[in-house]
Amino acid sequence: MLSAKEINKLAIPAILFNITEPLISLADIAIIGQISDGATEAQGGVGLAAGLIATLVWGFAQMRTSLSAIISRHFGSNQLDKIKSLVPQTFILTLLIGLLIALSISYFYEPIANFLFGNIEAKTYEFSQDYFTIRSIGLPISLLIALFFGVFRGFQNTSWAMYISLIGGIVNIILDFVLVLGVDNIIEPMGVSGAAWASVIAQITMMLCAVYCMYKYTPFKFKIHKKLSPYFNEMLMIFMNMFIRTMVLNIVFILSNRFANQYGKEQLAAYTIAYNIWIFTSFFIDGYSNAGNALAGKFLGENDNKKLSLLGKKLLSINIKIACILMLIYSASYFHIGYFFNNNKEVIVFFESIFWIVIVAQPFNSIAFTFDGLFKGLGRAVELRNTLIYATFLVFVPLLLILDYITPGLHTIWLALSGWMIFRGLSLLIMFRKITTL
């Protein structure tokens, strides 16, 4: 039998480390909203730059998914010795990719920003560039941290990632207050640049902690083998499929940012607030999906289809309950939560006009994230890739364009996003049932 204790042991720490990053982003947005000059433009600029950073990290951190799937499968079959050379080789590849991307995007930021986001107000663009230029220093570090967390998850332990994330989150928030707002007669307020430096310093702290945990608690080391691991090609194939999937996913968020930006700075700021709440709740729900990721790979290694089917049912039930609790919390705080981020009345009106869509979408998000995690653990990257492609180009893009033509506004973006999530979740649910009944 599959016990709740076995799931919770992985899921609860995963929830805590999952929500740390969006909590940091929420803290950044809230604290930046308190600066005295151009708070609305600053929130919009940081929202655009942070969205691009998230796009890059989500895309290139898929090495974590492929490595985690292979490690968890070998953990289940008790054959970890076979993949010891794969881990350091994957870290080297990830570091090189991270450096190349950070340097390229920083150098060409202006044309890339104009292409992705459309025409940006001068002040909003200035804040966006300042934030991204500094945050790009931490981009390779973010990819390495994600890979460390993938190793830990494959090793059936999410607690180490939780502790590391909490340490990084605390460092980031403390430095946010100190660097963004300044300290009287000691530190001058740095505004948006201060928020970016706070994030980079927190990332360095997290990476050092991750190195310590991997050396102390796992059999994996950074010993380099000249001969490629026999599992390197499998890892690359999973990565490439997940990378394509994530790039398509990021088309959705880039289009969302672009449309929000064209509606004006107040609507962009309102979208940024709603988007960060959406991401926070998504990662919260995704905590149990991380447990599913680790356990699905383990059960695959054990050839236990019965446990795999039971795992899917239990995770779905738990995640829908979590979604319902979040719906109640958000509904109760509907007319208060926006003021935590911005005191601009116009921004709040726009935010409150679409927040109901974010709330209603939560159960559908829970279905999509549940089976995302399970399919990642099984290494079924092709199905994940194809489902997202269909959801994006058959559901999201047509809905976005049609609704924008009929009645443009933030509700256009959020209704399209909701339809996109519904399609993803139901498609994966049907496929999972077919897989587990074979």
Side-chain angles (χ1 to χ4, degrees):
M1 284 295 292
L2 177 64
S3 69
K5 183 179 179 181
E6 188 175 5
I7 296 174
N8 288 330
K9 182 180 177 182
L10 291 168
I12 292 173
I15 289 172
L16 292 173
F17 87 72
N18 261 1
I19 65 174
T20 300
E21 180 64 31
L23 272 176
I24 290 170
S25 295
L26 286 171
D28 282 353
I29 296 297
I31 294 168
I32 287 168
Q34 307 306 311
I35 65 176
S36 57
D37 182 28
T40 299
E41 291 87 349
Q43 282 186 328
V46 169
L48 292 175
L52 177 56
I53 291 166
T55 297
L56 295 169
V57 172
W58 286 343
F60 291 96
Q62 292 308 315
M63 211 80 76
R64 166 189 62 187
T65 299
S66 54
L67 186 60
S68 177
I70 294 170
I71 291 174
S72 60
R73 189 176 76 230
H74 284 79
F75 185 93
S77 60
N78 199 27
Q79 295 178 323
L80 287 175
D81 284 345
K82 290 185 176 182
I83 56 170
K84 281 188 175 180
S85 63
L86 176 65
V87 174
Q89 288 170 1
T90 308
F91 270 94
I92 290 173
L93 180 60
T94 299
L95 177 61
L96 293 175
I97 290 173
L99 290 171
L100 179 63
I101 296 301
L103 292 171
S104 301
I105 303 293
S106 295
Y107 187 77
F108 296 106
Y109 184 74
E110 184 173 359
I112 290 171
N114 288 329
F115 172 74
L116 295 178
F117 308 128
N119 293 324
I120 308 173
E121 289 189 7
K123 199 166 185 179
T124 300
Y125 171 77
E126 185 181 336
F127 283 125
S128 172
Q129 185 179 41
D130 288 347
Y131 187 80
F132 184 87
T133 302
I134 297 168
R135 281 295 305 273
S136 66
I137 298 170
L139 183 61
I141 301 172
S142 292
L143 297 180
L144 291 175
I145 291 169
L147 198 59
F148 277 113
F149 287 2
V151 172
F152 300 156
R153 186 170 63 195
F155 202 64
Q156 307 296 296
N157 190 302
T158 54
S159 295
W160 304 328
M162 174 191 71
Y163 294 129
I164 293 168
S165 296
L166 289 174
I167 291 170
I170 291 168
V171 169
N172 196 112
I173 291 171
I174 291 172
L175 289 176
D176 261 348
F177 280 104
V178 172
L179 299 180
V180 175
L181 303 177
V183 178
D184 289 342
N185 301 319
I186 301 176
I187 299 175
E188 288 292 320
M190 296 173 65
V192 165
S193 297
W197 279 116
S199 295
V200 171
I201 294 168
Q203 287 171 326
I204 294 170
T205 304
M206 290 169 68
M207 189 180 71
L208 293 175
C209 292
V211 171
Y212 172 81
C213 286
M214 192 174 89
Y215 262 80
K216 186 171 178 65
Y217 299 114
T218 79
F220 306 116
K221 303 292 183 285
F222 289 114
K223 183 179 179 182
I224 306 301
H225 295 257
K226 292 182 180 178
K227 185 178 179 182
L228 280 180
S229 166
Y231 297 95
F232 193 82
N233 287 339
E234 179 188 353
M235 185 272 298
L236 277 183
M237 285 304 297
I238 296 174
F239 166 72
M240 287 306 300
N241 281 307
M242 292 302 296
F243 177 76
I244 293 169
R245 171 187 179 271
T246 307
M247 288 299 99
V248 174
L249 184 153
N250 286 319
I251 288 173
V252 172
F253 293 115
I254 288 167
L255 283 174
S256 298
N257 275 328
R258 191 180 180 95
F259 273 70
N261 181 52
Q262 76 179 18
Y263 295 145
K265 65 181 182 181
E266 286 80 14
Q267 294 204 51
L268 176 60
Y271 168 79
T272 299
I273 296 169
Y275 173 76
N276 277 280
I277 293 173
W278 169 285
I279 291 296
F280 168 74
T281 54
S282 297
F283 278 112
F284 195 100
I285 293 169
D286 198 40
Y288 275 91
S289 302
N290 269 279
N293 185 311
L295 290 171
K298 178 186 173 186
F299 296 154
L300 179 65
E302 295 173 351
N303 293 313
D304 196 331
N305 218 38
K306 187 177 179 181
K307 274 192 175 182
L308 185 58
S309 177
L310 184 59
L311 175 65
K313 292 175 183 176
K314 285 198 171 187
L315 286 178
L316 182 58
S317 174
I318 291 168
N319 275 343
I320 288 178
K321 289 175 183 174
I322 291 173
C324 290
I325 292 170
L326 289 170
M327 288 177 73
L328 289 173
I329 293 171
Y330 289 151
S331 297
S333 59
Y334 198 99
F335 297 106
H336 305 285
I337 195 167
Y339 288 98
F340 180 74
F341 301 98
N342 197 307
N343 291 317
N344 185 308
K345 298 289 184 182
E346 195 172 352
V347 171
I348 298 301
V349 168
F350 283 124
F351 170 73
E352 290 178 352
S353 72
I354 51 87
F355 190 41
W356 66 271
I357 306 174
V358 177
I359 295 173
V360 172
Q362 294 311 309
F364 301 107
N365 290 357
S366 70
I367 298 172
F369 279 103
T370 296
F371 293 101
D372 258 9
L374 290 168
F375 274 77
K376 287 175 184 177
L378 295 172
R380 306 290 288 250
V382 173
E383 288 93 334
L384 286 170
R385 180 199 66 194
N386 290 344
T387 298
L388 198 82
I389 290 173
Y390 298 147
T392 299
F393 296 108
L394 297 181
V395 179
F396 175 78
V397 173
L399 272 177
L400 184 68
L401 296 176
I402 292 168
L403 291 172
D404 180 68
Y405 179 77
I406 297 171
T407 170
L410 287 185
H411 57 279
T412 290
I413 300 170
W414 290 105
L415 288 171
L417 283 171
S418 299
W420 177 67
M421 292 298 287
I422 291 169
F423 183 92
R424 287 174 57 193
L426 294 180
S427 299
L428 292 174
L429 170 60
I430 293 168
M431 281 191 281
F432 184 77
R433 286 182 174 173
K434 288 180 180 178
I435 290 170
T436 53
T437 53
L438 293 177

